[in-house]
């Protein structure tokens, strides 16, 4: 027997497919595969996504979905702002949903999570396009350290998020609406909502028992879907985004500086940082093994990089010896020692033996990461928000249960963070990752800028002044704040 919910999803899929065929015909005349200036452009992504929309709106969410659509109609420019970041990443995310046979609505989740900004952070500690929390990153093998944050890497983060969504769907009765809600609120909260609805005999929808934020989460996604399906009905122009993936993942065998690759390959440095957003500084190391490049320049760039010598007129690639110090390297390359330390993210004057350093020759200062001050701050952000990471070295008599009591965390969480399998056998000397919530500094609080926010509105909301926020957040221009930027608010 097919459940009534499954039937609804099948009917919704048929209707969506039929609607999308009409939209495809209309959009094909205007945006995809046109010849502009003698160049054949790629088809638009919107008809392709529309063909693979398959989820139906729960009746209990219809009213909120319509409210979100009305908001977009009052702010028709919002779609343009939302898709500005997505130009680089949406096609890749959509392609990944197709490879895993997922509904195309999943590709809309990063719009709601981060505005498709790989540098987005939340006050709770989430980061990247998919707003992955540190504990989830540990569970999926993503690195977070002073040099890089893999949650900001579009390829690794997308792989992690899609696998987690599939896991949630399997755990929650095979329903995508449950899984997407759980991605926002957590599996436990959704289970509680389902149980509460069942206790009412189904008279009260499960969505009524969700947190307020999650009750708006699914409608935001369904509102975007409706606008993509019927842009003319809602008088909203959809910016053109190519259906073809913008970038490719290319192998590298050396450590490079971003500005070095920018000079050699003639690729904008800001673009390189946005494509390789996991790196917090001026360089990325050969340990990463790959670099993300615009697909149109990938082949020529790899060829150029393979030809450059270890030393060039502007850069030296130096593998440290036991006798090296930052001061001696500064003398050798006529470069300020603080510049060497800053570019290579060296916290002190001690150098690890045989570490590869990128050293700009004849340089007396650290160049900015970007001419855009807000982007530079986002790239370099190291003030990790949210839970604090604790490393626990397993002792001889330790068990998962004794460690959970010691740190006041659940056994299941320790197993999840460290990918332990039951019966949770531990090896003496192994380092376990523990994530704990620590009380925030009472003098300050962190605030994540929302689309449409102004600094004066934020100041009024927190009963402080614009000047005080600018001072503690190190802001130079009150007009230059961007959505999902994290700022400090004095209490």
């Amino acid at each position: 027997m097919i459940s009534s919910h499954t039937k609804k999803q099948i009917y919704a899929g048929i209707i969506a497919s039929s609607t999308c065929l009409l939209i495809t015909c209309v959009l094909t005349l205007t945006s995809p595969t046109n010849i502009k200036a003698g160049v054949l452009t790629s088809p638009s992504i919107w008809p392709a996504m529309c063909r693979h929309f398959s989820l139906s709106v729960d009746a209990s969410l219809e009213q909120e979905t319509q409210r979100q659509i009305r908001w977009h109609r009052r702010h028709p420019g919002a779609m343009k702002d939302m898709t500005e970041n997505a130009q680089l990443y949406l096609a890749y995310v959509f392609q990944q949903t197709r490879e895993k046979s997922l509904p195309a609505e999943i590709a809309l989740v990063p719009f709601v999570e981060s505005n498709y900004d790989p540098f987005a952070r939340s006050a709770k500690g989430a980061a990247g396009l998919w707003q992955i929390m540190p504990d989830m990153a540990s569970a999926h093998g993503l690195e977070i350290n002073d040099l890089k944050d893999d949650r900001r890497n579009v390829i690794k983060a997308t792989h992690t998020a899609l696998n987690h969504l599939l896991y949630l769907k399997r755990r929650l009765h095979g329903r995508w609406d449950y899984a997407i809600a759980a991605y926002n609120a957590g599996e436990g909260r959704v289970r509680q909502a389902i149980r509460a609805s069942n206790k009412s005999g189904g008279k009260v929808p499960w969505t009524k028992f969700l947190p307020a934020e999650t009750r708006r989460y699914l409608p935001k996604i369904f509102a975007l879907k409706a606008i993509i399906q019927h842009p003319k009905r809602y008088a909203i122009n959809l910016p053109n985004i190519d259906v073809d993936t913008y970038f490719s993942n290319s192998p590298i065998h050396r450590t490079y500086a971003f500005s070095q690759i920018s000079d050699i390959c003639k690729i904008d440095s800001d673009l390189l940082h946005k494509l390789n957003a996991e790196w917090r500084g001026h360089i990325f190391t050969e340990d990463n093994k790959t670099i993300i490049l615009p697909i149109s320049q990938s082949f020529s760039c790899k060829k150029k990089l393979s030809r450059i010598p270890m030393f060039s007129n502007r850069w030296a690639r130096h593998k440290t010896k036991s006798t090296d110090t930052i001061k001696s390297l500064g003398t050798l390359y006529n470069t300020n020692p603080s510049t060497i330390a800053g570019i290579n993210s060296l916290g002190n004057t001690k150098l690890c033996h045989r570490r590869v350093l990128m050293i700009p020759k004849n340089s007396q200062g650290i160049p900015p990461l970007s001419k855009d001050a807000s982007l530079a701050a986002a790239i370099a952000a190291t003030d990790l928000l949210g839970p604090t990471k604790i490393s626990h070295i397993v002792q001889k008599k330790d068990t998962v249960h004794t460690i959970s009591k010691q740190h006041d965390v659940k056994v299941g969480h320790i197993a999840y963070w460290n990918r332990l399998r039951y019966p949770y056998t531990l090896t003496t000397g192994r380092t376990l990752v523990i994530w704990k919530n620590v009380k925030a500094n009472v003098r300050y609080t962190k605030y994540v800028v929302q689309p449409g926010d102004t600094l004066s509105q934020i100041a009024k909301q927190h009963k402080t002044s614009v000047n005080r926020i600018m001072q503690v957040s190190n802001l130079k221009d009150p007009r230059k704040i961007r959505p999902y930027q994290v700022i400090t608010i004095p209490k």
Side-chain angles (χ1 to χ4, degrees):
M1 290 289 291
I2 300 176
S3 68
S4 59
H5 178 80
T6 305
K7 286 179 180 177
K8 285 181 182 177
Q9 288 200 321
I10 293 170
Y11 298 150
I14 294 169
I15 293 168
S17 297
S18 303
T19 306
C20 288
L21 285 173
L22 285 171
I23 294 169
T24 304
C25 294
V26 173
L27 290 175
T28 301
L29 296 174
T30 56
S31 54
T33 321
N34 290 329
I35 296 177
K36 296 179 181 179
V39 179
L40 190 67
T41 61
S42 299
S44 170
I45 197 170
W46 307 121
M49 289 185 71
C50 187
R51 286 194 296 272
H52 296 285
F53 285 145
S54 60
L55 304 184
S56 57
V57 184
D58 191 288
S60 63
L61 297 175
E62 185 61 49
Q63 186 175 353
E64 179 61 27
T65 300
Q66 291 303 318
R67 195 180 77 80
Q68 294 292 336
I69 292 172
R70 288 194 297 272
W71 184 90
H72 279 284
R73 295 190 75 172
R74 291 195 304 272
H75 303 84
M79 279 299 289
K80 182 179 179 182
D81 294 337
M82 291 180 75
T83 53
E84 184 176 345
N85 294 323
Q87 293 277 352
L88 299 179
Y89 317 110
L90 178 58
Y92 172 78
V93 174
F94 173 59
Q95 177 202 64
Q96 292 303 299
T97 64
R98 296 311 315 131
E99 287 189 8
K100 293 179 180 290
S101 300
L102 309 182
E105 287 90 343
I106 300 296
L108 302 179
V109 170
F111 278 119
V112 179
E113 285 287 346
S114 67
N115 219 27
Y116 259 97
D117 181 359
F119 300 107
R121 298 184 295 159
S122 80
K124 293 181 180 179
L129 293 184
W130 293 92
Q131 290 294 278
I132 294 171
M133 289 292 288
D135 54 353
M136 182 175 159
S138 293
H140 289 268
L142 301 184
E143 285 187 65
I144 305 173
N145 54 46
D146 290 339
L147 288 176
K148 67 174 182 173
D149 186 341
D150 281 340
R151 297 174 297 169
R152 303 189 333 189
N153 178 293
V154 61
I155 294 175
K156 293 179 180 179
T158 299
H159 178 76
T160 295
L162 296 187
N163 283 342
H164 187 62
L165 281 161
L166 281 165
Y167 162 83
L168 290 171
K169 177 176 177 276
R170 288 194 300 269
R171 300 267 298 175
L172 294 166
H173 311 290
R175 283 181 54 168
W176 276 115
D177 51 352
Y178 288 168
I180 296 171
Y183 190 85
N184 175 255
E187 181 185 345
R189 294 298 293 269
V190 172
R191 285 191 182 281
Q192 290 172 11
I194 296 168
R195 282 197 296 267
S197 177
N198 290 339
K199 281 183 181 180
S200 74
K203 293 178 182 178
V204 182
W206 66 281
T207 55
K208 296 297 183 183
F209 298 99
L210 294 171
E213 178 189 334
T214 310
R215 288 200 302 273
R216 294 189 295 271
Y217 190 79
L218 278 166
K220 285 180 180 180
I221 293 170
F222 287 126
L224 290 173
K225 169 186 172 178
I227 291 166
I228 292 168
Q229 288 179 317
H230 308 287
K232 289 190 175 181
R233 177 188 297 177
Y234 301 115
I236 294 175
N237 291 322
L238 296 178
N240 186 62
I241 297 179
D242 287 350
V243 72
D244 295 328
T245 301
Y246 179 79
F247 56 80
S248 67
N249 207 21
S250 304
I252 59 165
H253 306 289
R254 289 189 198 171
T255 294
Y256 293 98
F258 279 96
S259 59
Q260 183 185 22
I261 291 184
S262 177
D263 290 342
I264 294 167
C265 298
K266 309 303 178 190
I267 300 173
D268 180 70
S269 181
D270 284 358
L271 176 60
L272 282 172
H273 277 292
K274 289 176 182 178
L275 292 177
N276 299 274
E278 68 271 31
W279 296 100
R280 300 184 191 276
H282 290 271
I283 65 169
F284 53 88
T285 70
E286 58 202 49
D287 298 338
N288 207 52
K289 297 179 181 172
T290 60
I291 179 175
I292 298 176
L293 297 168
I295 202 163
S296 60
Q297 295 168 279
S298 176
F299 179 77
S300 61
C301 185
K302 284 186 289 184
K303 208 168 183 179
K304 289 174 182 175
L305 291 176
S306 67
R307 292 173 179 169
I308 65 167
M310 294 289 205
F311 298 85
S312 64
N313 292 333
R314 292 186 57 191
W315 288 91
R317 181 180 181 273
H318 185 96
K319 184 173 284 189
T320 59
K321 301 186 290 290
S322 58
T323 55
D324 283 340
T325 65
I326 294 180
K327 187 176 180 179
S328 67
L329 294 180
T331 303
L332 178 63
Y333 295 107
N334 191 31
T335 293
N336 191 313
S338 63
T339 300
I340 298 173
I343 284 180
N344 292 279
S345 302
L346 302 174
N348 52 52
T349 55
K350 291 183 179 179
L351 296 176
C352 297
H353 185 44
R354 298 181 65 80
R355 173 171 176 172
V356 175
L357 302 179
M358 294 304 300
I359 302 176
K361 295 180 182 178
N362 307 310
S363 177
Q364 300 307 308
I366 302 174
L369 286 165
S370 169
K371 292 179 181 178
D372 181 336
S374 64
L375 177 59
I379 293 168
T382 55
D383 54 330
L384 296 177
L385 309 174
T388 300
K389 182 180 178 180
I390 297 170
S391 296
H392 179 99
I393 300 175
V394 177
Q395 304 301 309
K396 190 173 182 180
K397 293 183 179 180
D398 275 349
T399 67
V400 174
H401 295 278
T402 60
I403 295 169
S404 85
K405 287 181 181 179
Q406 180 183 339
H407 295 287
D408 192 25
V409 295
K410 294 180 179 179
V411 168
H413 288 170
I414 296 176
Y416 175 69
W417 297 330
N418 296 278
R419 291 179 280 181
L420 302 177
R421 292 181 178 272
Y422 190 80
Y424 310 143
T425 303
L426 299 178
T427 306
T428 302
R430 175 176 176 173
T431 300
L432 296 180
V433 172
I434 308 288
W435 291 98
K436 290 196 70 173
N437 288 311
V438 179
K439 288 185 179 179
N441 188 330
V442 295
R443 294 175 55 204
Y444 302 99
T445 185
K446 296 291 185 180
Y447 177 79
V448 181
V449 178
Q450 299 300 305
D453 274 353
T454 65
L455 212 53
S456 60
Q457 289 173 340
I458 296 169
K460 186 176 180 180
Q461 178 183 339
H462 290 86
K463 297 179 181 179
T464 186
S465 68
V466 169
N467 286 337
R468 288 198 69 200
I469 294 176
M470 290 180 66
Q471 185 178 8
V472 298
S473 297
N474 196 27
L475 301 175
K476 294 182 179 178
D477 188 337
R479 296 166 298 179
K480 291 186 177 179
I481 58 172
R482 57 190 184 84
Y484 304 100
Q485 178 181 351
V486 178
I487 60 176
T488 304
I489 309 289
K491 287 191 175 181

